[in-house]
Amino acid sequence: MVSEDQSKYSGSKKNGGKELGMVTPQDKPLKKMKFVSSAEKEPSSPTTISEDSKSGRGMSTMPRVVKRKLQKIKPVVEYNKRGKGCGPAHTEMQSYIGVLARSRVPLVDKKWADIPNDIKEQIWEAVDMAFVVGQGGKTSVLSSAAKKWKDFKSTLTRHYILPYINEREKLSQPPEVYKFIEKAEWDAFVASRLSKDFESVHSQHAQIREKLEYNHRLSRKGYAGLEDQLEETMPGVEIDRSTLWKKARQDKHGNIPDPKVAEKAKLIDELQKQVAEGSLSITGSNDVLTLALGPEHPGRVRGVGAGISPKQFFNLPRPQRVKFADQLKESVRIVLQEETKKMEARIEAEREHLLSQLSHLIPNFDPSMLKPKTSPCQNQGLQQSPMNPMSDKASCSGAEVRSLHLEDDTARNGEQQEQTKSGALDNQDEEKKEENKDEQKMGEKKDEGKKEEKKENKDEGKEEDTNVEEKKEEKQDEEHDEEGNEVVDYSNVEVPSSLQSLCGYVETTLKPQGKIMTFNIEKEVFGADRSTFVLHEDITQFSGMEEIGATVVAVYMRCLYDLLREANMCSMVGFIDPAQVSANAGSLTDRSRIVASRLQKTDGEQIFMMPYNPGRHWVLLIVRAKRETVYFLDPLPGNRVVDEEGKNIVNNALKIYNSHIDRPGRKAPIWKTLPGTPKQPSSVECGYYVMRFMRDIIMDPSLEFEKKFAKGKDQAPYPQAAIDEVRKEWAEFVCLHMD
């Protein structure tokens, strides 16, 4: 059925001669429509289109729209921040789409998908000629036409067919108000609505309709129009979806007739009051409306209108599919963790039992003699990092890490646990060693007997040939090992003077006194205040060109921030904290949110440098959010590809960022590998090379790093002087924090 408002606006005379002004139920004028005209002047002579107002409640034909089409004047449809149409032009366009759906689409018992495409094209062309549709375009118009055509058939069924089932003679002609319906179409439509199949379908839908408890009272304007109206009448007030839900169910006097709805509206008022007072906190989808009505149905959001998904409204990342292999790995990891905890508990119980026995056997026994020694880090109230192959120390060879870094709670890269040793374990180890020695002696005797037997059975010539072959095999094995795990000897490399001073501070202060060096990194560097610390092991390893961890890289990024500030380039380059996004720093979703949060605090023009450690190796990712492009720089030689987990982190972050700025975005971001970067000579320099990459990029004000590291450029290693320049700057910055 056509609403009362529609019949009001069917002719301009009925509006009292106002300039295309729409009238609210309270008779308050809404904002006027914007127009685009393709004619230089309006016609001086009046149009011949009849504008006689209709008596009673009849069908709207929208003659003023036709008149404007002849005058080549097109109202501009406006959209709110969620991309939903609002304003008087949108309301009028919806009415016009309803007219077209009723008059141009045949009245047949079919689905919209079965309607010929040429009819749909006619509807779109008619709307496009009458309005500047803007975003959404053809898709939104035809979607609206489909719904209005379906509603029209429902109106005919409920008001003009079902009430007259027992008076068949009244069904012989189409309704007077819809004279455009041909009799043949009407007879076929009536027959389809009186069939048993339709009776069954109608009964099912009636039962579903009865389950809807909280019916709104919105007209054509919908939630988008209501929100637009409230923003005008309630300036400066934040309008959330609970307020929209409540207002959509009020009558024109502001009352809620339905007692069930009134009860929920009262609960919403109470919850809003608690939020305003600070006694109730809400986050994400767990907002006031969810607390009042219960959880959302999957894929839907109440109180905002159709076409808005939870992902769009609440800025949720798309859930990632978890491969079976990853699920299996996670299950195995959890089982191993549980078994490790059980083993540690059993060892601790055995140790306590042993100490108890020794206390009874040995007079004046001091149990502290067998307790594990406390490290300087534990003196500072910190935990030691485990010997973990996925630590933040990066050594590309995969060899055992010699010393691991300790991170604070906000920036550690892996789960940390204390390693305990006990005197009981030491005793067990000594017994095993003695047993192994006895077995080794027995084996040596057997080997001697075999050698004597070999000498008797083989001549000297055969023995010499055998020895030559064995030496060749040993030599080949040694050469293969050297190729697979090559490490450059840095023992003779000259250490920068500032780093020498820092090493002296380690020997005189940090190690003897068990101290650490703390750093407070400002909010401007990583988007949030960050507190971290450097151990004496970090400084010693850094001076010896050994593998480095996330804290060392993060401290150098703080040093580079000073260079950006001096060059007025802070608006051009930003940093993402490597300790919060690398492997084992949290779930993939959490790390995506951290990256997205960093991108959202800028205008999108900046590039963001993100050192990333997928596990024992440092690479550099450069994110250009506005172009949805990510650059991949790897210091290892060969055709390297980005880690899949790192790729998912950045891709999800860009999707969240696009949702934040209301941009549809690409189907998938563009990833570019820059193969022309200098390549590390062995397996431990990746962290130093990533630091140097960042320095080279920001030292070029034009930021033409894509050309600098393009394919075909020199891929030789950095000279040691270039790496020492980075080490010198890092050491000078750290020296500023010495006591």
Side-chain angles (χ1 to χ4, degrees), residues 12-262:
S12 59
K13 286 183 180 180
K14 209 165 186 177
N15 284 336
K18 296 179 182 179
E19 183 189 349
L20 292 168
M22 296 298 171
V23 182
T24 65
Q26 293 83 6
D27 292 328
K28 294 181 181 179
L30 287 173
K31 57 185 180 182
K32 296 179 181 179
M33 288 186 277
K34 300 176 183 178
F35 293 93
V36 173
S37 175
S38 59
E40 293 183 3
K41 296 181 180 179
E42 293 190 11
S44 56
S45 59
T47 176
T48 58
I49 297 176
S50 173
E51 295 181 356
D52 293 338
S53 54
K54 300 187 293 291
S55 60
R57 187 171 180 175
M59 182 188 69
S60 174
T61 57
M62 305 298 290
R64 63 182 176 275
V65 176
V66 180
K67 177 182 177 181
R68 286 202 306 265
K69 285 172 67 176
L70 294 175
Q71 296 172 342
K72 298 184 178 180
I73 299 174
K74 299 170 67 173
V76 179
V77 178
E78 298 178 16
Y79 295 84
N80 63 11
K81 59 187 177 183
R82 297 189 185 91
K84 304 300 291 183
C86 60
H90 176 263
T91 303
E92 191 177 68
M93 182 182 73
Q94 292 302 314
S95 296
Y96 187 54
I97 293 173
V99 171
L100 296 173
R102 291 192 297 268
S103 59
R104 299 201 181 186
V105 184
L107 188 64
V108 292
D109 187 26
K110 292 182 180 180
K111 294 183 178 180
W112 178 258
D114 300 327
I115 299 300
N117 289 330
D118 59 340
I119 295 176
K120 298 177 183 177
E121 285 294 331
Q122 291 175 16
I123 294 175
W124 160 242
E125 289 172 2
V127 174
D128 189 41
M129 289 175 63
F131 297 89
V132 178
V133 180
Q135 65 188 82
K138 183 177 180 180
T139 302
S140 64
V141 168
L142 293 183
S143 176
S144 177
K147 184 179 184 304
K148 287 172 172 55
W149 181 63
K150 180 181 176 183
D151 292 343
F152 176 54
K153 293 194 294 182
S154 176
T155 299
L156 292 175
T157 303
R158 288 184 291 108
H159 294 282
Y160 297 100
I161 297 178
L162 295 182
Y164 306 107
I165 292 180
N166 297 325
E167 301 177 67
R168 296 296 177 94
E169 67 278 359
K170 292 185 178 181
L171 299 178
S172 59
Q173 296 293 331
E176 277 293 319
V177 71
Y178 301 119
K179 294 180 180 180
F180 59 86
I181 301 177
E182 296 181 3
K183 188 176 186 310
E185 284 185 358
W186 173 254
D187 291 341
F189 184 71
V190 169
S192 68
R193 289 309 189 245
L194 297 179
S195 65
K196 291 184 179 180
D197 291 341
F198 178 79
E199 185 179 350
S200 175
V201 172
H202 179 70
S203 176
Q204 291 177 5
H205 283 82
Q207 293 175 6
I208 295 173
R209 181 66 183 83
E210 288 176 359
K211 295 180 181 179
L212 298 178
E213 296 181 297
Y214 313 117
N215 299 308
H216 67 73
R217 304 171 68 87
L218 293 171
S219 59
R220 296 164 297 169
K221 64 187 177 186
Y223 277 104
L226 175 62
E227 185 175 8
D228 186 53
Q229 177 184 330
L230 293 177
E231 286 177 352
E232 288 189 350
T233 57
M234 302 167 59
V237 178
E238 183 179 357
I239 302 170
D240 63 358
R241 66 189 186 112
S242 60
T243 302
L244 289 172
W245 187 90
K246 187 174 62 175
K247 292 286 185 183
R249 282 148 183 83
Q250 294 177 351
D251 59 19
K252 62 182 180 180
H253 303 294
N255 301 321
I256 300 178
D258 191 329
K260 288 185 178 180
V261 177

Side-chain angles (χ1 to χ4, degrees), residues 678-714:
K679 302 304 179 185
Q680 61 190 88
S682 66
S683 60
V684 295
E685 300 92 348
C686 54
Y688 302 91
Y689 272 56
V690 166
M691 291 159 69
R692 182 70 202 196
F693 290 164
M694 292 190 289
R695 189 186 190 281
D696 286 349
I697 291 170
I698 69 172
M699 293 307 289
D700 178 12
S702 64
L703 297 179
E704 294 186 345
F705 59 90
E706 188 174 357
K707 293 181 181 178
K708 179 180 178 67
F709 298 130
K711 188 175 182 181
K713 299 291 183 182
D714 186 11

Side-chain angles (χ1 to χ4, degrees), residues 518-532 554-555 557-562 565 570 575-577 580 598 601 733 736-737:
T518 58
F519 294 85
N520 292 319
I521 300 178
E522 298 87 337
K523 180 181 180 180
E524 292 75 16
V525 182
F526 294 129
D529 291 326
R530 164 107 148 78
S531 179
T532 189
V555 169
M557 295 170 81
R558 171 60 186 85
C559 174
L560 291 178
Y561 180 76
D562 287 340
R565 193 157 45 188
C570 293
F575 295 122
I576 297 174
D577 189 352
Q580 291 189 322
R598 188 75 181 101
K601 294 177 181 177
F733 180 80
L736 297 176
H737 293 74

